[in-house]
Amino acid sequence: MLEKLFNILYPILRDLGMSRISASYLSLVVNIVVLIIMAFGIYYIARLFLVTLMAVFAQRTKTKFDDFLISNKTAKYTAYLIPAFFIYAAVPIILDKYDYWQLTFEKIFGIYIIFLMLWIIRTVFNSLKDYLKNKPEYSDKPIDSFIQVIMIVLWIFGVTVMISKLFGIKQTELLTILGTLSAIIILIFRDTILGFVSSVQVSINDMVRIGDWITMDKFGADGDVIEINLTTVKVQNFDKTITTIPTYALSSESFQNWRGMLKGDGRRIKRHVLIKSSTIRFLNNDDLARLRSVELITAYIDSRQVEIEKYNTNHNINKELHVNGRNMTNLGLFRKYISVYMANQSGLNENMVMMCRQLQSTEFGVPLEIYAFSKDKRWANYEYIMSDLFDHIFAAVPLFDLEIFEMPSKLQITDNNR
């Protein structure tokens, strides 16, 4: 067939004044053109068949994996592979008289086939990744990291095969050369190697999952993990900005994972107010009579006062001075009031630690800390519960003749100096 086509074209070109074109060169061009035309025909037939077959198959199956194969165009790239195999097999036959061109085409299409096969494997792995991410049990796993490691190994193997085929070097010799260049390779792929090791550690130790809320001050990250791959971890902060963290930093740096809180029974409230130490004093009978009207601590005042009077009487305590014997203080009674108040709040988890405690005094006053857990762990609701609690505390402080410390303004300092 090719000889007939050549016998038809050659006299025509000769009559057109192109007699300088040698018969062998024209025969080579005709062979290549025919080969390319046949390859295009095979490609369109293969693409039509594979894409249609894949679509029909995907509709009839319950699994979504084949749907992801379609979305990642696996069938389309496979259709490219079939004519490439055809050309690679046909070149020794069609170009048997042209050793140079035969060798050139074999190298070109051999490399092209290897590249296509790697690309098809990549689409399959991408489809597998998308499929697993839609599974609840795998949605929080660093699948990207493992797939990237596999693809890096395959690409390294594929590139070595391409180079050995292009330059006629044996793969064993090429790997020996690469071994001598291992220091440079390690330097180039440093982040990748560290990221791979870190990804394994993160996965095995279950340190971070996709969807976890993490805080990493060094990188300015405070939000939800949206992606974990071989080299980076992407965190969507609460202001919707994206922070990128090196994967190896998760195993070498300190960070805070809030997963335990989100899965627990409550979200911790730990905040204090500063009480002026000069306002702390003993309570007299008039004070106790006034504070007895506070319903939450009425019973406590009565029982506590009976206990204190009994102790002082039994020990013959001289009560001319309040410092003698046992007495109630306004701060101690205020702490009790806050404890009872918190116990009656529906927004706080009564089954978890709940206390109002006094911390080490400072130059700014005596810290009175609230330590409790809110039942609702959602951010907005949590802030509302905590704010509502401290609103009441600030408003109740004057009732106990206490004051909250505040730094004096510049105007007040100036007035005091006059």
Side-chain angles (χ1 to χ4, degrees):
M1 176 180 175
L2 294 177
E3 291 180 358
K4 290 181 179 179
L5 183 62
F6 168 74
N7 293 331
I8 294 171
L9 290 175
Y10 187 71
I12 296 173
L13 294 173
R14 185 183 56 193
D15 294 340
L16 291 173
M18 300 177 68
S19 56
R20 292 182 180 179
I21 300 176
S22 65
S24 61
Y25 182 76
L26 182 59
S27 176
L28 173 64
V29 172
V30 170
N31 290 349
I32 293 174
V33 170
V34 171
L35 185 62
I36 292 173
I37 292 172
M38 292 177 67
F40 270 104
I42 293 171
Y43 163 71
Y44 283 111
I45 294 171
R47 180 177 176 179
L48 179 64
F49 177 75
L50 288 175
V51 172
T52 304
L53 181 64
M54 182 68 74
V56 173
F57 184 76
Q59 290 177 353
R60 294 185 177 182
T61 57
K62 295 181 179 180
T63 180
K64 292 186 177 181
F65 179 68
D66 42 24
D67 297 324
F68 290 116
L69 288 174
I70 293 174
S71 62
N72 284 288
K73 302 179 180 179
T74 304
K76 177 184 175 181
Y77 293 121
T78 305
Y80 283 121
L81 191 61
I82 295 174
F85 273 123
F86 167 76
I87 293 176
Y88 188 78
V91 161
I93 301 172
I94 295 178
L95 303 179
D96 60 334
K97 297 179 181 179
Y98 309 95
D99 295 337
Y100 173 78
W101 289 105
Q102 178 184 340
L103 182 61
T104 301
F105 271 80
E106 283 181 346
K107 287 182 177 180
I108 292 173
F109 279 92
I111 294 172
Y112 178 65
I113 288 170
I114 295 169
F115 178 82
L116 267 181
M117 291 178 69
L118 290 171
W119 200 260
I120 291 169
I121 293 172
R122 176 180 174 273
T123 63
V124 173
F125 276 119
N126 284 339
S127 302
L128 180 62
K129 176 188 70 177
D130 296 336
Y131 174 73
L132 291 177
K133 282 188 174 182
N134 281 273
K135 293 282 187 180
E137 59 269 29
Y138 295 103
S139 60
D140 56 356
K141 298 296 187 294
I143 301 170
D144 290 335
S145 299
F146 296 110
I147 290 179
Q148 287 175 349
V149 170
I150 295 172
M151 286 308 304
I152 286 174
V153 173
L154 291 176
W155 275 109
I156 291 174
F157 177 76
V159 169
T160 56
V161 175
M162 290 179 191
I163 294 174
S164 64
K165 195 166 189 65
L166 183 63
F167 297 102
I169 305 173
K170 292 182 179 180
Q171 291 186 37
T172 53
E173 296 177 358
L174 184 60
L175 290 173
T176 303
I177 295 171
L178 292 176
T180 59
L181 299 174
S182 58
I184 300 175
I185 294 173
I186 290 173
L187 183 63
I188 295 172
F189 293 101
R190 172 182 173 274
D191 289 345
T192 303
I193 295 169
L194 290 174
F196 169 66
V197 174
S198 180
S199 295
V200 173
Q201 290 178 338
V202 167
S203 178
I204 293 175
N205 298 321
D206 198 19
M207 296 165 61
V208 178
R209 301 175 188 170
I210 294 173
D212 281 356
W213 169 18
I214 68 169
T215 302
M216 206 166 186
D217 294 332
K218 179 178 179 180
F219 296 94
D222 185 17
D224 299 326
V225 177
I226 58 175
E227 183 180 334
I228 302 175
N229 56 44
L230 195 60
T231 56
T232 58
V233 175
K234 290 183 180 178
V235 178
Q236 185 177 57
N237 301 312
F238 294 122
D239 59 359
K240 299 305 179 182
T241 58
I242 305 295
T243 299
T244 303
I245 303 171
T247 306
Y248 60 80
L250 295 178
S251 57
S252 60
E253 304 285 347
S254 175
F255 69 95
Q256 192 171 14
N257 192 328
W258 296 84
R259 187 200 313 160
M261 179 273 295
L262 294 173
K263 287 190 173 183
D265 296 326
R267 185 168 179 177
R268 189 180 69 175
I269 297 172
K270 185 183 179 184
R271 185 179 291 184
H272 67 265
V273 294
L274 291 168
I275 303 296
K276 279 187 179 181
S277 58
S278 59
T279 62
I280 301 173
R281 62 179 179 82
F282 292 111
L283 294 173
N284 55 39
N285 292 331
D286 293 336
D287 295 325
L288 292 173
R290 176 174 57 85
L291 293 172
R292 192 175 280 109
S293 60
V294 181
E295 295 180 353
L296 289 179
I297 55 174
T298 301
Y300 173 77
I301 292 175
D302 291 339
S303 62
R304 184 65 172 166
Q305 189 63 14
V306 170
E307 180 185 341
I308 289 173
E309 289 178 356
K310 183 179 178 181
Y311 176 87
N312 291 336
T313 301
N314 292 337
H315 291 80
N316 297 318
I317 302 299
N318 180 7
K319 292 305 296 175
E320 291 182 3
L321 294 176
H322 285 295
V323 74
N324 294 331
R326 296 173 64 179
N327 295 278
M328 280 190 280
T329 63
N330 55 351
L331 181 59
L333 192 57
F334 182 61
R335 283 192 292 108
K336 181 61 180 180
Y337 170 75
I338 296 301
S339 299
V340 177
Y341 178 78
M342 288 194 298
N344 284 273
Q345 294 301 301
S346 60
L348 300 179
N349 192 333
E350 66 279 3
N351 296 319
M352 301 185 74
V353 178
M354 184 186 298
M355 61 180 171
C356 176
R357 61 175 181 167
Q358 184 184 134
L359 302 180
Q360 174 67 44
S361 60
T362 68
E363 67 272 23
F364 303 111
V366 179
L368 195 66
E369 185 182 77
I370 305 302
Y371 195 99
F373 291 84
S374 67
K375 290 180 180 178
D376 199 327
K377 294 170 285 186
R378 291 171 293 181
W379 188 15
N381 295 345
Y382 161 78
E383 292 290 347
Y384 177 82
I385 292 170
M386 182 166 58
S387 299
D388 193 46
L389 175 61
F390 277 86
D391 287 347
H392 186 87
I393 291 173
F394 291 136
V397 164
L399 182 65
F400 293 82
D401 294 332
L402 295 167
E403 291 183 25
I404 294 176
F405 175 83
E406 290 182 350
M407 289 291 291
S409 65
K410 291 182 179 179
L411 180 60
Q412 289 176 319
I413 294 172
T414 304
D415 290 340
N416 290 335
N417 291 333
R418 288 178 180 176

